[in-house]
Amino acid sequence: MIRFNDILEKVHPYLTTEDIAEVTKAYAYSAKVHGGQKRYSGEPYLIHPMEVTSILADIRLDKESIITGLLHDTIEDTLATKDDITRIFGEEVCALVDGVTKISKLKISSTFEKQAEDFRKLILATGKDIRVILVKLADRLHNIRTISHLPEERKRIFAKETVDLYAPLADRLGIYWIRTELEDRCFEVLKPNEYDEISRMFNSKKDEWEKYSSEIKSLLQSELDKFNLDASVNTRFKNFYSIYKKMIKKNLDPDKVLDIKAFRIISNDIASCYAALGAVHSTWKPIPGRFKDYIALPKSNGYQSLHTVVIGPFGDKVEVQIRTEEMHEIAEYGVAAHWKYKIDTKERKKLIDLPESVKNIFETQTLSDPREFIDAIKDELITDFVYVFTPKGELKELPIDSCVIDFAYAIHTDLGNKCSGARVNGAIVPFSYKLKSGDAIEIIVNKNREPSKDWLKYVVSSKAKSKIRSSIKSIVSKDSEKIGKEILSKKLAKYGLNIADPTVIEKLKVFSVEKKLKNLENLYINYSLSKVNIVEILNCFNLGVKTNLESKERNYLNPNNAIIVGGANNVMVRMANCCGPIYGDEIIGFITLGKGISIHRISCKQILEVDSTRLVEALWDNTYDLKSTTSLRLYCNDKTGILSEVSNLIAKHESNIIKINAKKISSSKSSIYLEILVKNAKHLYEITRGLDSIPDVYSVERLLAPNSEFNLFEKNSRI
Ligand code: MN
């Protein structure tokens, strides 16, 4: 049974005395809160956090992670609270423990789509701190090691989840030994017969294999010595699960897979790696097409090594991997190895040198967009690649099934955007062509070309996908920028402001900054989308526009009889222009100076800003059944017959049109301004719903509504 001293011995070489005191405190705390709890095995619960911590200490994680290992189940399984953890161990530890707890609560599913979605949830739960995942992996590893104590049903679910989610995650983080152990232990649970078969075969060949491998080892060693290379040779065992996968993939018998012998040469530096490769190849014939140079071209999880397969001295295939000590460490420990190298620096969190694939997962901008994130993650889960050549002979790694567009984007965004075709090995190919390893690709460029939505059908790499999407988005936003600028320019012209005037531009820029819009273009786009209020824009020119506000009455009804103010009707009221209440709206009265009571919708923005002592209760008289006017704006496709479709619909709802006019806003789009008579809010709702259901209408908006930009200056239209 593990003792706390075992952990202390492991952390002693790299933690300070103060750190160790805190670790000890965490141990005491964990022992106290888990006191009396038992695992399925009947052992004291405390064994589990200790074993987890011991794994973390093996990969030499920092003090906070070690403490988190000891505390990782306290929030979920004991009476300890986040506040307790923060108070005793600080916020950093609490955030880590909380992250691990959140991951434990995730519902994990098994389809690939869902798996990617689970990854997203998982990454979000970590708060983007990689240490949370490392603790979780250690937790899972120990749970899997002791899985035999679980009830049968839970065993399988647990193993499935582990092999679907945590093993690939360990692989992505490059922690080879955790990945293989997780895989093999789950394999044993999920496919017991296959596991037994491979295991029996393996054991039966063990003696033979050991004899053989020591011969090969000494042969290799003496070859290396001949070349004066200081390198060591190790035999390498494949894990059972990867033997199984190879069996399935290549349709081989297990003994055939087991016949492939694997060795590893560890040398001092990169030059000796290539020299060792030369020694191997000059002794035994390499098998063509099986040499891979992951030193010059590291895998995206940071893995580096030379791989080759040769025909060995007894005529059988021998796999050889050649790498430096440091590469070996990274191959075994992955992210954790990177961690170790940086552990002495103060701001280790920022300095940790994550491999590309991990960065992609953690730093992806698309966390908030599930679909894009899933695409990105899918890419990261891919372990199969094709290797193709640029016209200059450079090698590129692309996910399997990539097309020429993926290739073009992998080289350069512009090349992707302007890609109009490609030659592969000299022949023109369609976009649907799937690249094969060894293809030499030349992209044909057309500078007028723009990315098309159709491309998304062919591309598989997340880079190509996101570049195509963002390019399509930017084409759309160029349209709205143009429209926004045009409308705003007309608006400003009415106030004597020229949008091209440098002082006007300067003011607009200042306004953009205040509004946290990146630039003028963004202001136009937001304006066209009604996300910016014209009043706010005009206010920055100090026009004193508010005094111009009083404008002609537009009410078609005499509301004096229809509204009860402060319990009495026949009070002089008028409908406020700012929010245009209609019968049925919730309303409130505002006592104006000398102009009676103005009636606003209760949700009106202006009402929020007035002196509340001047507000007075206002209610509709239920007997009131006159019609009142309201204005709508529709955006729609510019299509003949759209106006008659709109007016027919309004007639069908027994409403009358007071005003209607349409305006083209782009080559294919129009806006329609409408003033109609409606009975009440319900009636209006039915009409807008009807308008909305016309296929060519894509938005219906009630103008002068409190939450949209309302126009205090022009009544008829905002266009
Ligand atoms: Mn646990």
Side-chain angles (χ1 to χ4, degrees):
M1 199 185 276
I2 187 169
R3 300 163 312 143
F4 183 57
N5 263 344
D6 300 334
I7 296 173
L8 288 184
E9 268 168 37
K10 288 183 186 179
V11 297
H12 190 259
Y14 71 95
L15 289 188
T16 66
T17 315
E18 294 86 63
D19 288 349
I20 288 175
E22 273 193 71
V23 171
T24 308
K25 190 168 78 177
Y27 167 69
Y29 183 80
S30 185
K32 189 180 89 187
V33 293
H34 284 301
Q37 292 179 340
K38 293 251 189 294
R39 304 195 79 212
Y40 267 106
S41 61
E43 288 176 319
Y45 194 88
L46 187 64
I47 298 292
H48 168 66
M50 283 167 73
E51 290 283 1
V52 169
T53 307
S54 166
I55 295 167
L56 297 171
D58 280 337
I59 52 180
R60 298 175 61 125
L61 286 196
D62 64 346
K63 176 194 76 183
E64 285 76 15
S65 311
I66 296 289
I67 294 177
T68 303
L70 289 164
L71 303 179
H72 79 271
D73 279 329
T74 55
I75 293 183
E76 197 176 9
D77 294 341
T78 77
L79 294 173
T81 63
K82 281 209 267 185
D83 287 347
D84 297 337
I85 305 290
T86 309
R87 188 165 32 80
I88 307 171
F89 300 100
E91 277 177 15
E92 191 175 345
V93 167
C94 180
L96 290 169
V97 175
D98 188 41
V100 178
T101 309
K102 278 187 192 146
I103 294 178
S104 309
K105 287 182 181 158
L106 291 179
K107 290 253 178 299
I108 305 297
S109 36
S110 57
T111 62
F112 192 84
E113 285 290 315
K114 290 280 177 52
Q115 189 192 340
E117 176 60 23
D118 290 336
F119 261 101
R120 187 177 84 93
K121 286 191 234 158
L122 191 143
I123 303 297
L124 286 172
T126 64
K128 295 200 177 190
D129 191 327
I130 192 98
R131 292 175 296 177
V132 171
I133 290 192
L134 294 171
V135 175
K136 189 62 206 174
L137 281 174
D139 176 45
R140 185 50 62 111
L141 184 60
H142 182 246
N143 282 332
I144 289 287
R145 280 177 182 170
T146 52
I147 197 174
S148 63
H149 301 291
L150 284 186
E152 206 53 42
E153 186 51 25
R154 284 214 31 211
K155 248 190 213 175
R156 293 188 62 84
I157 295 173
F158 207 66
K160 182 94 179 68
E161 177 184 297
T162 303
V163 87
D164 282 344
L165 187 67
Y166 291 100
L169 190 57
D171 183 61
R172 277 297 101 186
L173 299 180
I175 313 172
Y176 179 79
W177 71 273
I178 292 189
R179 188 201 92 194
T180 51
E181 189 178 337
L182 288 176
E183 281 180 348
D184 277 359
R185 290 182 186 274
C186 294
F187 178 44
E188 190 178 358
V189 172
L190 295 169
K191 301 242 180 239
N193 298 336
E194 289 85 342
Y195 183 90
D196 281 351
E197 192 188 357
I198 290 174
S199 149
R200 225 177 314 122
M201 203 81 70
F202 183 82
N203 288 325
S204 73
K205 288 185 175 246
K206 218 173 171 188
D207 293 344
E208 188 193 328
W209 160 254
E210 264 165 16
K211 187 167 153 279
Y212 172 92
S213 74
S214 68
E215 279 177 52
I216 295 271
K217 249 173 88 168
S218 59
L219 267 170
L220 268 176
Q221 195 72 63
S222 69
E223 284 307 316
L224 294 171
D225 292 345
K226 259 191 236 166
F227 288 84
N228 267 331
L229 286 169
D230 184 14
S232 61
V233 182
N234 300 308
T235 48
R236 185 168 64 87
F237 293 95
K238 280 190 187 306
N239 67 324
F240 286 4
Y241 187 62
S242 71
I243 292 170
Y244 172 71
K245 278 198 294 193
K246 207 161 191 168
M247 272 168 56
I248 300 288
K249 199 175 160 193
K250 304 209 163 160
N251 205 7
L252 290 172
D253 289 338
D255 58 331
K256 283 265 159 28
V257 177
L258 283 168
D259 270 348
I260 302 168
K261 314 297 193 294
F263 294 87
R264 183 176 295 134
I265 298 173
I266 308 283
S267 68
N268 286 334
D269 51 40
I270 292 179
S272 338
C273 289
Y274 288 100
L277 179 77
V280 171
H281 280 183
S282 63
T283 312
W284 297 308
K285 287 251 173 301
I287 296 176
R290 298 295 298 276
F291 168 63
K292 283 174 191 144
D293 186 346
Y294 294 119
I295 291 182
L297 199 84
K299 287 192 180 181
S300 52
N301 64 9
Y303 176 87
Q304 285 187 297
S305 208
L306 299 174
H307 288 188
T308 188
V309 182
V310 296
I311 307 289
F314 310 109
D316 45 1
K317 287 179 187 172
V318 179
E319 282 184 11
V320 184
Q321 296 180 345
I322 306 167
R323 54 174 82 140
T324 65
E325 192 70 59
E326 192 186 339
M327 291 172 189
H328 183 59
E329 189 124 341
I330 289 174
E332 289 294 311
Y333 291 100
V335 170
H338 293 270
W339 188 272
K340 197 168 134 188
Y341 294 131
K342 303 278 180 177
I343 201 146
D344 290 335
T345 56
K346 268 191 179 164
E347 281 185 282
R348 57 192 162 239
K349 202 168 162 183
K350 277 167 205 148
L351 287 175
I352 201 172
D353 186 17
L354 295 175
E356 211 46 43
S357 65
V358 180
K359 262 193 217 154
N360 286 348
I361 296 177
F362 272 80
E363 289 166 16
T364 175
Q365 299 301 305
T366 55
L367 271 179
S368 56
D369 182 340
R371 196 181 51 163
E372 283 187 21
F373 179 82
I374 286 166
D375 279 342
I377 283 297
K378 261 188 186 166
D379 245 26
E380 298 313 332
L381 294 175
I382 288 170
T383 41
D384 279 343
F385 296 97
V386 289
Y387 295 89
V388 295
F389 292 96
T390 69
K392 286 180 188 157
E394 284 168 60
L395 199 59
K396 286 276 160 193
E397 180 192 74
L398 291 170
I400 203 148
D401 289 340
S402 286
C403 70
V404 294
I405 305 170
D406 290 297
F407 173 82
Y409 277 108
I411 307 264
H412 198 278
T413 305
D414 281 344
L415 195 65
N417 286 341
K418 304 289 173 211
C419 172
S420 72
R423 281 189 200 91
V424 170
N425 308 322
I428 301 265
V429 296
F431 286 155
S432 56
Y433 174 82
K434 287 180 178 164
L435 301 181
K436 296 182 186 65
S437 280
D439 280 350
I441 302 156
E442 188 193 333
I443 297 297
I444 302 165
V445 173
N446 173 349
K447 62 178 192 308
N448 298 321
R449 177 82 216 205
E450 275 179 348
S452 128
K453 228 178 173 174
D454 283 351
W455 290 7
L456 293 170
K457 283 192 281 198
Y458 307 114
V459 298
V460 299
S461 61
S462 64
K463 182 174 183 197
K465 282 184 188 174
S466 77
K467 293 287 177 194
I468 294 167
R469 285 211 185 97
S470 77
S471 167
I472 294 171
K473 266 185 218 157
S474 84
I475 293 168
V476 171
S477 65
K478 259 182 222 152
D479 273 354
S480 16
E481 181 198 330
K482 212 177 122 211
I483 295 166
K485 188 174 180 185
E486 207 177 296
I487 305 169
L488 186 62
S489 125
K490 286 183 186 161
K491 278 273 155 92
L492 294 178
K494 291 193 175 153
Y495 292 88
L497 299 165
N498 179 354
I499 203 160
D501 179 341
T503 60
V504 172
I505 291 175
E506 209 35 58
K507 285 250 167 71
L508 289 176
K509 275 186 183 159
V510 171
F511 177 78
S512 305
V513 172
E514 275 170 12
K515 281 275 153 193
K516 299 200 167 61
L517 301 166
K518 268 180 251 139
N519 47 35
L520 269 188
E521 289 72 32
N522 238 317
L523 172 64
Y524 300 143
I525 291 167
N526 277 281
Y527 181 68
S528 82
L529 300 171
S530 298
K531 286 184 185 161
V532 187
N533 190 324
I534 182 71
V535 179
E536 292 175 289
I537 298 180
L538 287 167
N539 276 345
C540 75
F541 292 97
N542 296 324
L543 292 174
V545 282
K546 291 224 163 168
T547 55
N548 299 337
L549 289 188
E550 288 312 326
S551 42
K552 53 189 183 296
E553 288 293 325
R554 64 168 190 117
N555 296 308
Y556 294 85
L557 56 93
N558 175 1
N560 293 351
N561 304 317
I563 293 175
I564 305 166
V565 180
N569 59 6
N570 256 330
V571 179
M572 187 170 85
V573 298
R574 63 187 182 90
M575 296 297 153
N577 284 328
C578 51
C579 55
I582 56 172
Y583 184 72
D585 283 339
E586 267 195 90
I587 49 173
I588 191 158
F590 174 68
I591 306 161
T592 66
L593 298 174
K595 285 187 175 168
I597 313 279
S598 70
I599 302 295
H600 296 255
R601 285 161 68 176
I602 207 139
S603 49
C604 176
K605 251 191 212 165
Q606 299 237 308
I607 277 301
L608 294 174
E609 286 157 21
V610 302
D611 176 359
S612 62
T613 60
R614 287 164 62 189
L615 291 176
V616 58
E617 182 193 52
L619 294 166
W620 294 99
D621 186 340
N622 281 337
T623 58
Y624 174 74
D625 191 29
L626 292 176
K627 291 176 175 178
S628 49
T629 63
T630 193
S631 339
L632 299 175
R633 180 177 61 180
L634 322 184
Y635 280 127
C636 56
N637 288 327
D638 185 39
K639 202 190 91 176
T640 42
I642 184 81
L643 278 182
S644 78
E645 226 175 307
V646 167
S647 37
N648 285 342
L649 187 124
I650 288 162
K652 210 176 85 192
H653 283 90
E654 295 170 29
S655 166
N656 290 322
I657 297 175
I658 296 165
K659 225 179 245 173
I660 182 165
N661 58 58
K663 193 161 196 166
K664 224 173 158 67
I665 54 172
S666 77
S667 60
S668 61
K669 283 161 196 163
S670 286
S671 76
I672 296 175
Y673 173 77
L674 268 176
E675 260 180 50
I676 53 176
L677 283 171
V678 293
K679 285 179 202 149
N680 52 39
K682 187 167 167 272
H683 189 204
L684 174 63
Y685 170 67
E686 282 160 4
I687 293 171
T688 53
R689 211 175 48 175
L691 290 168
D692 218 13
S693 67
I694 298 175
D696 282 299
V697 171
Y698 51 91
S699 79
V700 179
E701 193 185 351
R702 180 172 168 192
L703 291 184
L704 310 177
N707 292 326
S708 71
E709 168 204 326
F710 69 81
N711 183 355
L712 293 165
F713 313 99
E714 290 167 77
K715 290 233 196 100
N716 290 343
S717 158
R718 292 197 288 152
I719 303 295

